[in-house]
Amino acid sequence: MSTGNPKYLLPYLTILLLSTTVTVVTSDPRTTVAGPLLCGTGRATTSSFIPTFVQAMELLSSNLNNSNNNFAIANITSDARAPFYALIQCHQDLSRTDCLVCYAVSRTAVPNCLPRTSGRYFLDGCFIRYDNYSFFNESIDPIRDSRNCNSSIVGGGGGGGFGDFRGGELEFRRNVGELVENVSGIAVRDGGFGVLGFGGVYGLAQCWESLRGDECRVCLEKAKREVGGCLPSREGRSMNAGCFLRYSTEKFFNNDAEGEGGSSGLSSPGAKVAVVLAAVAFLMISGFASYAAYIRISKLKQERKNMGLLSSSYNKAGLKFKYETLEKATNYFDNANKLGQGGAGSVYKGTLPNGDIVAVKRLFFTTRQWVDDFFNEVNLISAIEHKNLVKLLACSIEGPESLLVYEFVPNKSLDRFLFDNDKTQILSWKQRMEVILGTAEGLAYLHGGCHVRIIHRDIKSSNILLDKDFSPKIADFGLVRTFGADRSHLTTGIAGTLGYMAPEYIVRGQLTEKADVFSFGVVVLEIACGKRNNAFIEDAGSLLQTVWKLYKEGAVTEAIDPLLGGDFPDHEAVQVMQIGLLCTQASATLRPSMTEVIEYLTTKGEDRQIPVPQQPPFLNARALVSQQGLSSSSTSSPLTKMGISYTTTSQSSTTPSSEWPLRIDETSSS
């Protein structure tokens, strides 16, 4: 991970600061990790999120330093930025010095959640959390509440080093049960904090000071039940949204007078170090915030410069739309109107003043590639029209970001009906066949039916939209390429989505219509099988390999989506799978054209003659690397230029499902 990225500078610098100054602190801030860093699933969609994060953490540090206890909150809701809330709670037995140290350590970890919109982290001495909603009165969270049990357990009898429990495990369980019950009661009674030790076990209960008494009680009741599940472990922790409960056979808390905090500790060497630490951290955060602001302003200036290159071309094109009109149409890009998120930006549903419903694509690019993609989608696609292509209606290039306006397609994208776990409707076999045929007709039009030859380069299930009648419309033309009739192929930079990209295109950058045919073949098999193709899965389990194996065994219908319940004609299903395998053959010359595919799909009965696939399909990215003798260390490999290594299978396990398939943006073109 590069520390040149300003997002990562702060945690690394803070760790360095801690390692060089905090060593003189002789007390125990209990910075042992109690539970893993938990990051939310939501992602920031605006460039202002990280500066807001920095501002909130700066405010949190200031509030903690100025507070009379070990608790502070911060919230930013007064400006145009998205709301942001943060909380730090040190356990009340920590001194002010130890609290500041524990906070500083926890503060180095939470930036690792960025750009996630939420994160929480438990240390044995403190808890830190940030989120995009006000969570201060939240006592429990059924999803993220957790417990942590020590692997060492109490032995039977009085042996095994646990002589304090003469009755063995039974006595230990009884003592722990009584301890957590009493220490929780003390915390509820005494303002949210309690410590206790008896019978060879010790306990601490802490509710966040933002909770009311009844909320603290609810949180600790759940914590008691959860921590009881750790028995007979010699130590257990329960970590809820609003509280922390811990028991141990070792005394870990501080209930001495000098550990209660207060101003008396400010004259100690440790307190002086903490003051220096806080001051340096404040300066460091301020510098980071200034740098982030500088980067943001530079990007805005570059975007305006790029838009200037386009303005003269589109003022006369009849496609111009006022930014303010589209902003109001989408209710100022309200998340409730958001239809989806792609590699080039977000798409929102909008209602124009005349009542027409449209889809507004909000672009986020500031480079020359941004200009090229914009030209493709506006200059080229506005000149073509087909029932199976999403129509571009207008654009806006004079606001703070550039917008494209498309016809609204109500049923959203095909992948939602094929792969979503909570899909509300199962596409029938007839509907699937109509989607396959309509997509083929749209591609055939792009390849030879309009005034120029067009290659889409990013055909996939999520780029096929379904209208009210479930007819398909191909969308997202930002990566299209055109070439004249005198050219057999283009040599271009790699762009598209892994799992749908043809082998000759990935390896040599050689682009022909057959690259779209390959992608179409993958989509055909996904539609028929109801499963996503994954470029990083082992060969034996990939969709293409599975279908090929069953096809050779004469049992290809076994791969058909089981949600159809067998309601499909066997002969037609075999032919559709055969078409998919024909289109995904590794050799481009063996793949049919889209015109031939339409002929295969529309010829009826006995007259339908579909060629037999001559070779196995291109299986996956890793198999391709093996065949070509490439490696991740090769300096000439297009794969290396894209920053992708296929030498291990770890990517399939670490890539979140919400982010797959992996889209590759073009690195160069010629």
Side-chain angles (χ1 to χ4, degrees):
M1 181 184 295
S2 171
T3 57
N5 187 329
K7 182 177 98 172
Y8 301 113
L9 288 178
L10 185 60
Y12 281 99
L13 290 174
T14 307
I15 290 172
L16 177 62
L17 178 65
L18 287 171
S19 65
T20 58
T21 62
V22 179
T23 54
V24 300
V25 179
T26 57
S27 55
D28 182 12
R30 296 208 299 273
T31 56
T32 305
V33 175
L37 177 65
L38 298 176
C39 305
T41 57
R43 281 182 171 270
T45 58
T46 63
S47 59
S48 65
F49 181 77
I50 291 180
T52 302
F53 173 90
V54 173
Q55 181 183 350
M57 289 300 150
E58 181 179 341
L59 179 60
L60 193 64
S61 299
S62 176
N63 291 345
L64 181 61
N65 277 287
N66 294 329
S67 69
N68 294 322
N69 51 24
N70 289 351
F71 169 77
I73 61 173
N75 59 79
I76 298 176
T77 59
S78 58
D79 57 17
R81 296 179 181 178
F84 193 100
Y85 301 84
L87 176 150
I88 174 67
Q89 174 74 69
C90 295
H91 299 163
Q92 291 301 328
D93 64 310
L94 292 189
S95 68
R96 294 287 295 147
T97 300
D98 288 342
C99 177
L100 290 172
V101 172
C102 192
Y103 164 69
V105 174
S106 66
R107 172 64 183 84
T108 66
V110 289
N112 291 316
C113 281
L114 297 174
R116 304 287 184 177
T117 56
S118 64
R120 62 182 73 182
Y121 194 44
F122 281 90
L123 298 180
D124 272 337
C126 60
F127 167 79
I128 189 171
R129 177 180 177 184
Y130 76 89
D131 220 313
N132 58 359
Y133 71 94
S134 180
F135 58 85
F136 300 140
N137 297 116
E138 193 174 276
S139 58
I140 60 174
D141 183 340
I143 297 177
R144 295 180 179 85
D145 288 350
S146 62
R147 72 181 179 200
N148 182 3
C149 306
N150 190 284
S151 58
S152 178
I153 64 173
V154 173
F162 299 100
D164 287 336
F165 310 106
R166 297 179 180 178
E169 181 181 327
L170 182 61
E171 180 183 350
F172 175 66
R173 286 178 176 273
R174 183 169 57 248
N175 288 358
V176 170
E178 188 173 349
L179 173 82
V180 298
E181 183 70 34
N182 290 334
V183 76
S184 298
I186 293 171
V188 172
R189 185 192 67 208
D190 293 347
F193 175 75
V195 291
L196 187 64
F198 70 90
V201 287
Y202 303 86
L204 178 148
Q206 173 81 64
C207 290
W208 315 153
E209 294 189 28
S210 55
L211 298 188
R212 300 189 305 267
D214 56 336
E215 293 167 339
C216 178
R217 180 181 294 104
V218 169
C219 188
L220 289 176
E221 284 294 333
K222 182 181 180 185
K224 286 189 296 184
R225 294 193 299 270
E226 291 177 343
V227 83
C230 286
L231 294 170
S233 293
R234 59 183 299 174
E235 186 169 71
R237 301 170 179 85
S238 179
M239 296 162 285
N240 292 345
C243 64
F244 177 89
L245 178 62
R246 177 185 177 187
Y247 77 84
S248 176
T249 56
E250 301 291 334
K251 182 176 181 293
F252 58 88
F253 53 79
N254 181 7
N255 60 349
D256 299 326
E258 63 271 23
E260 295 295 324
S263 59
S264 60
L266 294 178
S267 61
S268 67
K272 293 177 181 178
V273 170
V275 171
V276 173
L277 174 67
V280 174
F282 178 82
L283 293 174
M284 189 164 51
I285 292 173
S286 299
F288 177 71
S290 299
Y291 179 72
Y294 168 77
I295 293 297
R296 187 183 179 198
I297 292 172
S298 299
K299 287 184 177 181
L300 287 174
K301 288 181 178 179
Q302 184 61 44
E303 184 178 82
R304 291 191 178 279
K305 180 179 178 181
N306 288 331
M307 286 193 295
L309 299 174
L310 300 170
S311 186
S312 60
S313 299
Y314 293 112
N315 282 343
K316 301 177 182 179
L319 294 170
K320 190 175 178 182
F321 230 102
K322 288 186 177 181
Y323 178 85
E324 293 78 8
T325 301
L326 298 177
E327 189 180 38
K328 291 178 181 178
T330 60
N331 194 23
Y332 301 92
F333 303 106
D334 188 343
N335 277 336
N337 290 326
K338 191 171 183 179
L339 299 175
Q341 178 91 29
S346 304
V347 181
Y348 296 82
K349 179 180 178 181
T351 304
L352 299 177
N354 63 1
D356 290 346
I357 299 177
V358 295
V360 181
K361 185 176 183 179
R362 192 182 189 189
L363 298 173
F364 301 102
F365 288 99
T366 59
T367 65
R368 180 68 207 182
Q369 185 63 44
W370 175 92
V371 178
D372 292 340
D373 290 347
F374 198 92
F375 265 104
N376 276 336
E377 292 213 51
V378 178
N379 201 33
L380 175 64
I381 305 305
S382 63
I384 63 176
E385 187 170 351
H386 187 273
K387 65 182 179 66
N388 296 117
L389 303 177
V390 173
K391 182 172 178 57
L392 178 67
L393 303 177
C395 70
S396 169
I397 59 174
E398 294 183 353
E401 64 251 339
S402 295
L403 308 174
L404 297 175
V405 184
Y406 291 95
E407 64 173 310
F408 176 68
V409 184
N411 279 320
K412 300 184 180 180
S413 57
L414 172 63
D415 64 326
R416 295 175 181 243
F417 291 90
L418 296 178
F419 311 132
D420 278 7
N421 293 328
D422 57 348
K423 45 182 171 281
T424 58
Q425 180 173 344
I426 307 300
L427 295 179
S428 67
W429 180 258
K430 180 181 178 182
Q431 288 174 320
R432 297 181 195 221
M433 288 297 296
E434 290 173 350
V435 170
I436 292 172
L437 177 59
T439 304
E441 290 174 342
L443 278 176
Y445 176 79
L446 291 176
H447 292 174
C450 56
H451 62 288
V452 290
R453 294 169 63 195
I454 298 175
I455 301 177
H456 187 282
R457 290 205 299 173
D458 204 17
I459 295 297
K460 56 185 177 182
S461 300
S462 60
N463 281 342
I464 298 173
L465 308 184
L466 303 179
D467 67 13
K468 60 183 178 61
D469 299 318
F470 289 92
S471 296
K473 289 181 178 288
I474 299 172
D476 199 347
F477 293 90
L479 298 181
V480 298
R481 280 292 179 267
T482 64
F483 54 97
D486 59 333
R487 299 284 298 276
S488 63
H489 71 275
L490 292 177
T491 301
T492 180
I494 307 301
T497 303
L498 292 178
Y500 299 87
M501 296 164 69
E504 73 280 1
Y505 182 41
I506 294 180
V507 173
R508 298 185 296 274
Q510 187 179 85
L511 184 64
T512 69
E513 294 98 331
K514 296 300 181 72
D516 278 350
V517 173
F518 179 90
S519 303
F520 170 79
V522 174
V523 172
V524 168
L525 296 179
E526 288 184 334
I527 292 173
C529 300
K531 295 180 180 179
R532 191 191 297 278
N533 185 49
N534 190 323
F536 289 111
I537 202 167
E538 292 291 340
D539 294 350
S542 70
L543 177 62
L544 299 186
Q545 178 70 349
T546 298
V547 173
W548 174 257
K549 180 180 178 182
L550 291 173
Y551 176 77
K552 298 298 289 183
E553 295 173 353
V556 73
T557 56
E558 292 181 12
I560 300 296
D561 192 346
L563 295 178
L564 290 170
D567 187 13
F568 55 86
D570 287 356
H571 182 65
E572 187 175 61
V574 171
Q575 292 180 327
V576 166
M577 302 290 257
Q578 192 169 324
I579 290 172
L581 291 172
L582 276 174
C583 293
T584 55
Q585 293 179 103
S587 172
T589 59
L590 293 178
R591 298 174 210 147
S593 67
M594 291 310 305
T595 302
E596 291 173 319
V597 170
I598 293 173
E599 184 178 344
Y600 300 153
L601 291 169
T602 55
T603 303
K604 303 296 183 182
E606 299 294 331
D607 295 331
R608 180 183 288 179
Q609 299 295 325
I610 301 176
V612 176
Q614 297 299 308
Q615 61 178 206
F618 167 52
L619 303 179
N620 60 30
R622 189 167 50 259
L624 173 65
V625 174
S626 175
Q627 293 167 9
Q628 298 297 328
L630 299 173
S631 72
S632 61
S633 61
S634 171
T635 57
S636 61
S637 167
L639 305 176
T640 303
K641 292 178 181 179
M642 290 188 290
I644 301 171
S645 170
Y646 299 101
T647 57
T648 71
T649 60
S650 62
Q651 296 187 54
S652 63
S653 62
T654 58
T655 302
S657 59
S658 62
E659 297 175 359
W660 179 262
L662 176 61
R663 172 162 164 147
I664 306 301
D665 291 323
E666 189 169 44
T667 55
S668 63
S669 62
S670 60

Tab-separated table of all heavy atoms in Angstrom, residues 299-337:
chain	number	residue	atom	x	y	z
A	299	LYS	N	-8.738	19.340	-8.875
A	299	LYS	CA	-9.571	18.479	-9.716
A	299	LYS	C	-10.733	19.255	-10.321
A	299	LYS	O	-11.103	19.046	-11.480
A	299	LYS	CB	-10.089	17.295	-8.904
A	299	LYS	CG	-9.023	16.259	-8.593
A	299	LYS	CD	-9.607	15.069	-7.867
A	299	LYS	CE	-8.559	13.999	-7.621
A	299	LYS	NZ	-9.130	12.815	-6.924
A	300	LEU	N	-11.320	20.153	-9.540
A	300	LEU	CA	-12.424	20.961	-10.070
A	300	LEU	C	-11.951	21.848	-11.210
A	300	LEU	O	-12.642	22.001	-12.234
A	300	LEU	CB	-13.030	21.804	-8.944
A	300	LEU	CG	-13.880	21.061	-7.913
A	300	LEU	CD1	-14.290	22.002	-6.787
A	300	LEU	CD2	-15.109	20.439	-8.565
A	301	LYS	N	-10.748	22.435	-11.067
A	301	LYS	CA	-10.214	23.277	-12.134
A	301	LYS	C	-9.968	22.456	-13.398
A	301	LYS	O	-10.258	22.900	-14.508
A	301	LYS	CB	-8.910	23.930	-11.672
A	301	LYS	CG	-9.093	25.032	-10.639
A	301	LYS	CD	-7.751	25.646	-10.255
A	301	LYS	CE	-7.937	26.788	-9.254
A	301	LYS	NZ	-6.632	27.382	-8.851
A	302	GLN	N	-9.435	21.235	-13.234
A	302	GLN	CA	-9.166	20.396	-14.392
A	302	GLN	C	-10.454	19.973	-15.082
A	302	GLN	O	-10.531	19.918	-16.307
A	302	GLN	CB	-8.382	19.149	-13.958
A	302	GLN	CG	-7.960	18.247	-15.118
A	302	GLN	CD	-7.047	18.962	-16.081
A	302	GLN	OE1	-6.122	19.668	-15.679
A	302	GLN	NE2	-7.295	18.801	-17.376
A	303	GLU	N	-11.497	19.667	-14.272
A	303	GLU	CA	-12.773	19.278	-14.865
A	303	GLU	C	-13.364	20.410	-15.690
A	303	GLU	O	-13.870	20.200	-16.790
A	303	GLU	CB	-13.760	18.844	-13.780
A	303	GLU	CG	-15.077	18.337	-14.366
A	303	GLU	CD	-16.026	17.861	-13.301
A	303	GLU	OE1	-16.708	18.719	-12.713
A	303	GLU	OE2	-16.072	16.655	-13.075
A	304	ARG	N	-13.286	21.632	-15.172
A	304	ARG	CA	-13.814	22.772	-15.919
A	304	ARG	C	-13.027	22.987	-17.211
A	304	ARG	O	-13.584	23.354	-18.239
A	304	ARG	CB	-13.788	24.026	-15.047
A	304	ARG	CG	-14.787	23.962	-13.893
A	304	ARG	CD	-14.958	25.298	-13.200
A	304	ARG	NE	-15.947	25.211	-12.155
A	304	ARG	CZ	-17.261	25.265	-12.360
A	304	ARG	NH1	-17.724	25.406	-13.576
A	304	ARG	NH2	-18.100	25.174	-11.345
A	305	LYS	N	-11.708	22.743	-17.172
A	305	LYS	CA	-10.901	22.855	-18.381
A	305	LYS	C	-11.318	21.823	-19.411
A	305	LYS	O	-11.448	22.117	-20.604
A	305	LYS	CB	-9.421	22.676	-18.023
A	305	LYS	CG	-8.483	22.769	-19.222
A	305	LYS	CD	-7.043	22.597	-18.771
A	305	LYS	CE	-6.110	22.640	-19.985
A	305	LYS	NZ	-4.681	22.451	-19.563
A	306	ASN	N	-11.555	20.583	-18.957
A	306	ASN	CA	-11.988	19.530	-19.872
A	306	ASN	C	-13.348	19.829	-20.470
A	306	ASN	O	-13.601	19.571	-21.651
A	306	ASN	CB	-12.032	18.180	-19.137
A	306	ASN	CG	-10.646	17.648	-18.837
A	306	ASN	OD1	-9.708	17.932	-19.568
A	306	ASN	ND2	-10.527	16.896	-17.758
A	307	MET	N	-14.262	20.357	-19.649
A	307	MET	CA	-15.586	20.691	-20.161
A	307	MET	C	-15.515	21.790	-21.203
A	307	MET	O	-16.314	21.843	-22.127
A	307	MET	CB	-16.506	21.098	-19.013
A	307	MET	CG	-16.949	19.927	-18.158
A	307	MET	SD	-18.297	20.330	-17.052
A	307	MET	CE	-17.500	21.515	-15.994
A	308	GLY	N	-14.502	22.676	-21.065
A	308	GLY	CA	-14.340	23.724	-22.054
A	308	GLY	C	-14.023	23.164	-23.423
A	308	GLY	O	-14.391	23.745	-24.450
A	309	LEU	N	-13.336	22.021	-23.477
A	309	LEU	CA	-13.028	21.385	-24.752
A	309	LEU	C	-14.275	20.890	-25.459
A	309	LEU	O	-14.304	20.737	-26.676
A	309	LEU	CB	-12.079	20.189	-24.520
A	309	LEU	CG	-10.712	20.518	-23.898
A	309	LEU	CD1	-9.966	19.228	-23.609
A	309	LEU	CD2	-9.900	21.415	-24.823
A	310	LEU	N	-15.323	20.630	-24.664
A	310	LEU	CA	-16.536	20.054	-25.236
A	310	LEU	C	-17.598	21.086	-25.575
A	310	LEU	O	-18.433	20.867	-26.442
A	310	LEU	CB	-17.143	19.054	-24.235
A	310	LEU	CG	-16.269	17.879	-23.847
A	310	LEU	CD1	-16.914	17.140	-22.701
A	310	LEU	CD2	-16.052	16.964	-25.013
A	311	SER	N	-17.556	22.207	-24.910
A	311	SER	CA	-18.665	23.143	-24.962
A	311	SER	C	-19.001	23.580	-26.373
A	311	SER	O	-20.153	23.569	-26.790
A	311	SER	CB	-18.353	24.359	-24.084
A	311	SER	OG	-19.470	25.201	-24.004
A	312	SER	N	-17.972	23.952	-27.163
A	312	SER	CA	-18.235	24.462	-28.505
A	312	SER	C	-18.816	23.399	-29.407
A	312	SER	O	-19.557	23.707	-30.350
A	312	SER	CB	-16.931	24.999	-29.113
A	312	SER	OG	-15.964	23.962	-29.178
A	313	SER	N	-18.509	22.101	-29.151
A	313	SER	CA	-18.987	21.021	-30.006
A	313	SER	C	-20.459	20.737	-29.800
A	313	SER	O	-21.166	20.382	-30.745
A	313	SER	CB	-18.187	19.741	-29.731
A	313	SER	OG	-16.827	19.944	-30.011
A	314	TYR	N	-20.957	20.905	-28.571
A	314	TYR	CA	-22.303	20.444	-28.272
A	314	TYR	C	-23.337	21.547	-28.143
A	314	TYR	O	-24.519	21.267	-28.037
A	314	TYR	CB	-22.280	19.585	-27.003
A	314	TYR	CG	-21.542	18.320	-27.241
A	314	TYR	CD1	-20.329	18.074	-26.611
A	314	TYR	CD2	-22.002	17.383	-28.155
A	314	TYR	CE1	-19.620	16.926	-26.865
A	314	TYR	CE2	-21.299	16.229	-28.411
A	314	TYR	CZ	-20.109	16.001	-27.769
A	314	TYR	OH	-19.409	14.861	-28.026
A	315	ASN	N	-22.902	22.791	-28.189
A	315	ASN	CA	-23.886	23.869	-28.150
A	315	ASN	C	-24.781	23.835	-29.379
A	315	ASN	O	-25.927	24.269	-29.350
A	315	ASN	CB	-23.183	25.230	-28.062
A	315	ASN	CG	-22.703	25.517	-26.650
A	315	ASN	OD1	-23.146	24.884	-25.707
A	315	ASN	ND2	-21.793	26.470	-26.512
A	316	LYS	N	-24.236	23.302	-30.497
A	316	LYS	CA	-24.988	23.282	-31.745
A	316	LYS	C	-25.619	21.919	-32.025
A	316	LYS	O	-26.208	21.713	-33.067
A	316	LYS	CB	-24.056	23.652	-32.902
A	316	LYS	CG	-23.417	25.035	-32.751
A	316	LYS	CD	-22.443	25.298	-33.892
A	316	LYS	CE	-21.767	26.651	-33.726
A	316	LYS	NZ	-20.785	26.917	-34.822
A	317	ALA	N	-25.456	20.983	-31.119
A	317	ALA	CA	-25.884	19.613	-31.402
A	317	ALA	C	-27.344	19.371	-31.099
A	317	ALA	O	-27.869	18.310	-31.399
A	317	ALA	CB	-25.034	18.623	-30.596
A	318	GLY	N	-28.037	20.304	-30.483
A	318	GLY	CA	-29.443	20.107	-30.165
A	318	GLY	C	-29.673	19.189	-28.995
A	318	GLY	O	-30.800	18.766	-28.753
A	319	LEU	N	-28.592	18.843	-28.266
A	319	LEU	CA	-28.715	17.906	-27.148
A	319	LEU	C	-28.527	18.594	-25.799
A	319	LEU	O	-28.602	17.948	-24.766
A	319	LEU	CB	-27.657	16.800	-27.279
A	319	LEU	CG	-27.798	15.860	-28.478
A	319	LEU	CD1	-26.562	15.004	-28.601
A	319	LEU	CD2	-29.035	15.001	-28.359
A	320	LYS	N	-28.272	19.871	-25.828
A	320	LYS	CA	-27.924	20.569	-24.605
A	320	LYS	C	-29.110	20.671	-23.653
A	320	LYS	O	-30.233	20.900	-24.062
A	320	LYS	CB	-27.412	21.965	-24.946
A	320	LYS	CG	-26.795	22.710	-23.782
A	320	LYS	CD	-26.199	24.025	-24.253
A	320	LYS	CE	-25.625	24.796	-23.095
A	320	LYS	NZ	-25.090	26.099	-23.532
A	321	PHE	N	-28.829	20.486	-22.341
A	321	PHE	CA	-29.853	20.550	-21.304
A	321	PHE	C	-29.300	21.354	-20.140
A	321	PHE	O	-28.126	21.246	-19.814
A	321	PHE	CB	-30.208	19.140	-20.821
A	321	PHE	CG	-31.679	18.847	-20.796
A	321	PHE	CD1	-32.269	18.100	-21.789
A	321	PHE	CD2	-32.473	19.315	-19.769
A	321	PHE	CE1	-33.607	17.813	-21.759
A	321	PHE	CE2	-33.818	19.034	-19.724
A	321	PHE	CZ	-34.400	18.287	-20.729
A	322	LYS	N	-30.116	22.159	-19.495
A	322	LYS	CA	-29.654	22.923	-18.349
A	322	LYS	C	-29.420	22.007	-17.145
A	322	LYS	O	-30.255	21.167	-16.824
A	322	LYS	CB	-30.670	24.005	-17.977
A	322	LYS	CG	-30.719	25.165	-18.956
A	322	LYS	CD	-31.644	26.256	-18.447
A	322	LYS	CE	-31.640	27.455	-19.381
A	322	LYS	NZ	-32.526	28.540	-18.870
A	323	TYR	N	-28.290	22.220	-16.479
A	323	TYR	CA	-27.958	21.416	-15.310
A	323	TYR	C	-29.013	21.570	-14.220
A	323	TYR	O	-29.422	20.584	-13.585
A	323	TYR	CB	-26.585	21.837	-14.769
A	323	TYR	CG	-26.176	21.088	-13.521
A	323	TYR	CD1	-25.553	19.850	-13.601
A	323	TYR	CD2	-26.420	21.626	-12.255
A	323	TYR	CE1	-25.184	19.164	-12.458
A	323	TYR	CE2	-26.048	20.944	-11.111
A	323	TYR	CZ	-25.430	19.720	-11.212
A	323	TYR	OH	-25.071	19.033	-10.082
A	324	GLU	N	-29.478	22.805	-14.014
A	324	GLU	CA	-30.461	23.057	-12.956
A	324	GLU	C	-31.750	22.280	-13.192
A	324	GLU	O	-32.392	21.800	-12.246
A	324	GLU	CB	-30.760	24.552	-12.855
A	324	GLU	CG	-29.605	25.409	-12.369
A	324	GLU	CD	-28.573	25.680	-13.460
A	324	GLU	OE1	-28.843	25.315	-14.636
A	324	GLU	OE2	-27.518	26.237	-13.142
A	325	THR	N	-32.131	22.140	-14.459
A	325	THR	CA	-33.355	21.395	-14.785
A	325	THR	C	-33.220	19.929	-14.397
A	325	THR	O	-34.135	19.336	-13.802
A	325	THR	CB	-33.659	21.508	-16.284
A	325	THR	OG1	-33.821	22.886	-16.634
A	325	THR	CG2	-34.924	20.736	-16.652
A	326	LEU	N	-32.075	19.342	-14.709
A	326	LEU	CA	-31.861	17.930	-14.388
A	326	LEU	C	-31.654	17.724	-12.891
A	326	LEU	O	-32.042	16.693	-12.337
A	326	LEU	CB	-30.656	17.406	-15.165
A	326	LEU	CG	-30.796	17.449	-16.691
A	326	LEU	CD1	-29.515	16.968	-17.355
A	326	LEU	CD2	-31.980	16.601	-17.151
A	327	GLU	N	-31.049	18.697	-12.241
A	327	GLU	CA	-30.862	18.620	-10.792
A	327	GLU	C	-32.217	18.575	-10.088
A	327	GLU	O	-32.445	17.752	-9.183
A	327	GLU	CB	-30.042	19.818	-10.326
A	327	GLU	CG	-29.600	19.750	-8.867
A	327	GLU	CD	-28.786	20.962	-8.472
A	327	GLU	OE1	-29.119	22.077	-8.932
A	327	GLU	OE2	-27.837	20.797	-7.700
A	328	LYS	N	-33.137	19.427	-10.503
A	328	LYS	CA	-34.476	19.430	-9.909
A	328	LYS	C	-35.245	18.168	-10.287
A	328	LYS	O	-36.020	17.642	-9.491
A	328	LYS	CB	-35.234	20.672	-10.358
A	328	LYS	CG	-34.688	21.981	-9.792
A	328	LYS	CD	-35.464	23.180	-10.311
A	328	LYS	CE	-34.894	24.486	-9.764
A	328	LYS	NZ	-35.620	25.667	-10.304
A	329	ALA	N	-35.029	17.695	-11.514
A	329	ALA	CA	-35.747	16.501	-11.976
A	329	ALA	C	-35.432	15.286	-11.111
A	329	ALA	O	-36.284	14.416	-10.918
A	329	ALA	CB	-35.402	16.217	-13.433
A	330	THR	N	-34.211	15.215	-10.600
A	330	THR	CA	-33.801	14.078	-9.757
A	330	THR	C	-33.944	14.382	-8.275
A	330	THR	O	-33.450	13.616	-7.442
A	330	THR	CB	-32.329	13.730	-10.049
A	330	THR	OG1	-31.512	14.869	-9.757
A	330	THR	CG2	-32.139	13.320	-11.497
A	331	ASN	N	-34.617	15.497	-7.947
A	331	ASN	CA	-34.736	15.955	-6.561
A	331	ASN	C	-33.358	16.126	-5.944
A	331	ASN	O	-33.073	15.661	-4.851
A	331	ASN	CB	-35.593	14.988	-5.729
A	331	ASN	CG	-36.014	15.598	-4.398
A	331	ASN	OD1	-36.046	16.826	-4.243
A	331	ASN	ND2	-36.316	14.757	-3.423
A	332	TYR	N	-32.498	16.793	-6.724
A	332	TYR	CA	-31.132	17.093	-6.309
A	332	TYR	C	-30.339	15.813	-6.009
A	332	TYR	O	-29.639	15.704	-5.016
A	332	TYR	CB	-31.138	18.053	-5.113
A	332	TYR	CG	-31.839	19.348	-5.431
A	332	TYR	CD1	-33.206	19.500	-5.164
A	332	TYR	CD2	-31.170	20.406	-6.040
A	332	TYR	CE1	-33.875	20.684	-5.493
A	332	TYR	CE2	-31.838	21.583	-6.372
A	332	TYR	CZ	-33.181	21.718	-6.092
A	332	TYR	OH	-33.835	22.878	-6.425
A	333	PHE	N	-30.496	14.863	-6.933
A	333	PHE	CA	-29.777	13.584	-6.874
A	333	PHE	C	-30.020	12.870	-5.545
A	333	PHE	O	-29.099	12.372	-4.895
A	333	PHE	CB	-28.282	13.788	-7.137
A	333	PHE	CG	-28.003	14.445	-8.449
A	333	PHE	CD1	-27.597	15.769	-8.511
A	333	PHE	CD2	-28.180	13.749	-9.634
A	333	PHE	CE1	-27.346	16.389	-9.736
A	333	PHE	CE2	-27.941	14.361	-10.860
A	333	PHE	CZ	-27.523	15.682	-10.909
A	334	ASP	N	-31.271	12.834	-5.180
A	334	ASP	CA	-31.694	12.142	-3.959
A	334	ASP	C	-31.401	10.654	-4.098
A	334	ASP	O	-31.671	10.035	-5.130
A	334	ASP	CB	-33.192	12.367	-3.755
A	334	ASP	CG	-33.685	11.851	-2.412
A	334	ASP	OD1	-32.966	11.048	-1.767
A	334	ASP	OD2	-34.798	12.222	-2.014
A	335	ASN	N	-30.845	10.050	-3.043
A	335	ASN	CA	-30.542	8.614	-3.070
A	335	ASN	C	-31.785	7.767	-3.305
A	335	ASN	O	-31.695	6.641	-3.800
A	335	ASN	CB	-29.871	8.182	-1.767
A	335	ASN	CG	-28.379	8.452	-1.778
A	335	ASN	OD1	-27.768	8.528	-2.840
A	335	ASN	ND2	-27.798	8.615	-0.612
A	336	ALA	N	-32.951	8.306	-2.945
A	336	ALA	CA	-34.196	7.558	-3.186
A	336	ALA	C	-34.457	7.381	-4.674
A	336	ALA	O	-35.195	6.474	-5.081
A	336	ALA	CB	-35.369	8.286	-2.525
A	337	ASN	N	-33.866	8.247	-5.509
A	337	ASN	CA	-34.047	8.161	-6.957
A	337	ASN	C	-32.893	7.457	-7.652
A	337	ASN	O	-32.872	7.382	-8.884
A	337	ASN	CB	-34.206	9.568	-7.549
A	337	ASN	CG	-35.520	10.211	-7.160
A	337	ASN	OD1	-36.529	9.528	-7.026
A	337	ASN	ND2	-35.518	11.519	-6.966
